[in-house]
Amino acid sequence: MTHLAIYDMDRTITVRGTYTPFLFHMVFARAPWRLLFLPLLPFGFIGYGLKLISRKSLKTYNQRLLLGSRPKIADLQPHIEDYADKVIRSNSYANALAQVESDRAEGRKLILATASYELYVNAIAARLNFDAVIATRLKIDEQDRVLPQIVGENCYDIAKLDRIKTYLDAQELDPDSIHIRAYSDHVSDAPMLEYADEAIATTPSGALRALAKKRNWQIVDWDQ
């Protein structure tokens, strides 16, 4: 039997979201002049709110404005490393980090599954010694430039579960021979939690707390 622990990241391990702070970190570190584009940001959120664009399109719209259309990975990487340090230092639940270590001590393989960009999630996962990352992937061109284009689907909701299943297949892990413990704070991860053998709602949103009570899932509040 192979034992896995699958963690969502934003507001599960971290206290706050990481995507928008990542973009602003990059703006201040690399190109403060991009703050000139701030008046354009609300148009993306309005479009998303009116269901004119998808969550996926909203993310790449904001990325194009604040990160740029074709920055080179080599230019971004030092700032990504700085951002990852900041997340661990000042935007993570101590109880979440303790649970990660507890799962490791149990011999569980640690997987970080998140809708955040793999571009910076890899650095955060490396600091926590996760074994694998399942995250939203960006297209990288032949010159190692990061494009505002998501490869496949935003790793969110049912698409996250699909990515998890793809990962398990690639690792040749038979569902009957594994035990999955999954952690999340948000009801959008209900598909992943339903799929897991052991679902844990962590500092959950109201909707997930209600669902967890209905499903008899464990609830833990890591902010206490």
Side-chain angles (χ1 to χ4, degrees):
M1 180 70 70
T2 300
H3 292 79
L4 309 176
I6 304 179
Y7 285 79
D8 173 49
M9 188 177 76
D10 284 18
R11 300 182 182 87
T12 297
I13 290 176
T14 69
V15 179
R16 300 171 297 279
T18 62
Y19 168 73
T20 300
F22 166 71
L23 292 180
F24 277 99
H25 176 86
M26 300 305 277
V27 166
F28 287 111
R30 296 178 61 249
W33 62 268
R34 285 192 172 274
L35 292 172
L36 293 172
F37 294 130
L38 284 183
L40 299 178
L41 289 181
F43 291 102
F45 289 101
I46 291 170
Y48 177 69
L50 294 175
K51 298 183 179 181
L52 299 175
I53 62 173
S54 66
R55 180 182 290 265
K56 176 178 175 180
S57 296
L58 175 62
K59 290 174 79 168
T60 54
Y61 172 81
N62 291 339
Q63 177 190 339
R64 185 185 298 273
L65 292 177
L66 299 181
L67 190 63
S69 296
R70 295 173 182 271
K72 288 191 174 182
I73 292 179
D75 294 334
L76 299 181
Q77 199 60 45
H79 307 298
I80 290 172
E81 299 299 332
D82 288 343
Y83 181 68
D85 287 336
K86 183 188 296 185
V87 169
I88 300 302
R89 183 175 62 251
S90 60
N91 186 22
S92 58
Y93 286 118
N95 288 330
L97 301 187
Q99 186 60 50
V100 169
E101 292 308 313
S102 177
D103 283 332
R104 192 194 321 280
E106 284 185 21
R108 290 183 178 272
K109 186 171 185 177
L110 302 174
I111 301 169
L112 192 57
T114 173
S116 295
Y117 283 168
E118 185 180 75
L119 178 69
Y120 68 86
V121 172
N122 282 337
I124 296 171
R127 282 154 176 76
L128 298 177
N129 294 312
F130 270 76
D131 299 295
V133 169
I134 298 171
T136 300
R137 295 170 294 193
L138 291 171
K139 185 173 182 178
I140 311 295
D141 70 11
E142 297 81 359
Q143 287 76 43
D144 285 334
R145 295 177 300 189
V146 181
L147 308 184
Q149 182 177 339
I150 290 174
V151 177
E153 294 301 321
N154 187 33
C155 188
Y156 181 81
D157 202 282
I158 191 67
K160 181 186 288 190
L161 177 58
D162 289 341
R163 288 282 306 280
I164 290 170
K165 290 179 177 178
T166 298
Y167 169 81
L168 296 177
D169 287 343
Q171 297 294 309
E172 299 183 345
L173 292 172
D174 187 328
D176 293 329
S177 65
I178 61 176
H179 180 279
I180 297 176
R181 179 183 291 161
Y183 301 83
S184 181
D185 72 292
H186 198 266
V187 73
S188 63
D189 276 326
M192 176 183 75
L193 295 171
E194 295 275 10
Y195 184 74
D197 299 284
E198 184 180 350
I200 302 176
T202 63
T203 321
S205 62
L208 180 57
R209 188 178 294 273
L211 180 62
K213 289 179 179 178
K214 182 178 179 180
R215 296 283 196 271
N216 292 316
W217 293 340
Q218 183 180 352
I219 299 173
V220 296
D221 289 296
W222 282 342
D223 58 350
Q224 297 180 0

